Amino acid sequence: MYEIIDNFLTEEKFLKVKNSILNSEFSWNLTPWVSNLNENLKTTSSYYFTHVFYSGLYVDPNSHIFIDILYQSEHIDYDYSHKGAIFYLNTNNGFTTLENGTKVESIQNRLLLFDPSKPHNSTTCTDDKCRVNVNFNYF
């Protein structure tokens, strides 16, 4: 079970999040493989960058930019013990594949709500410099 919500935020709120992340002052951490250490991808497509906003007691000072996303997600009530969302910051030919084979295209300002405890995977893109998503895991 999953749900796709296009144009999740107003244009103003979306641009606030996007411009906060896609700028030269934002710090990124390199992860040198896309899904696991055993994958066999070309060097040019076998990495991605991350930035942790919440982890245990750590809260990034910039985490306030997600208040509008978190506030809009509070009204959704699922029976799952583990919930997740992917918020897409740019449109490109990358996608997310869910357990049932559904491919969710990377469309700017799209929110995917799904059960992240089920198998799923990500891709890189070939039509833009990068594919930028924000991943939420919550209970």
Side-chain angles (χ1 to χ4, degrees):
M1 180 67 98
Y2 66 94
E3 181 180 1
I4 296 171
I5 305 170
D6 287 330
N7 299 310
F8 182 70
L9 296 175
T10 65
E11 184 72 9
E12 179 183 343
K13 290 177 180 179
F14 171 72
L15 289 175
K16 175 184 158 189
V17 173
K18 182 177 180 177
N19 293 335
S20 295
I21 292 174
L22 297 181
N23 72 68
S24 60
E25 301 297 315
F26 192 81
S27 64
W28 293 98
N29 300 298
L30 174 68
T31 302
W33 60 89
V34 173
S35 59
N36 65 60
L37 292 171
N38 297 320
E39 66 189 358
N40 187 19
L41 297 175
K42 297 185 306 185
T43 303
T44 57
S45 62
S46 63
Y47 64 91
Y48 67 101
F49 292 89
T50 62
H51 181 97
V52 175
F53 287 95
Y54 299 97
S55 181
L57 298 177
Y58 171 75
V59 177
D60 184 288
N62 295 311
S63 61
H64 67 278
I65 65 173
F66 297 110
I67 288 172
D68 292 318
I69 295 172
L70 297 173
Y71 177 74
Q72 285 192 232
S73 296
E74 288 178 340
H75 71 278
I76 299 168
D77 186 15
Y78 288 102
D79 297 332
Y80 308 113
S81 60
H82 185 202
K83 300 174 210 171
I86 297 174
F87 186 60
Y88 299 87
L89 286 180
N90 64 334
T91 298
N92 57 69
N93 65 1
F95 54 88
T96 303
T97 304
L98 303 177
E99 179 184 34
N100 65 0
T102 299
K103 290 184 179 180
V104 180
E105 296 176 354
S106 294
I107 306 292
Q108 174 173 289
N109 200 12
R110 170 175 279 180
L111 183 75
L112 167 64
L113 302 172
F114 71 111
D115 180 357
S117 68
K118 304 289 185 191
H120 61 282
N121 67 288
S122 181
T123 66
T124 56
C125 67
T126 59
D127 64 338
D128 204 342
K129 291 180 184 177
C130 58
R131 178 176 181 249
V132 186
N133 301 326
V134 179
N135 184 60
F136 297 92
N137 287 294
Y138 55 99
F139 299 92

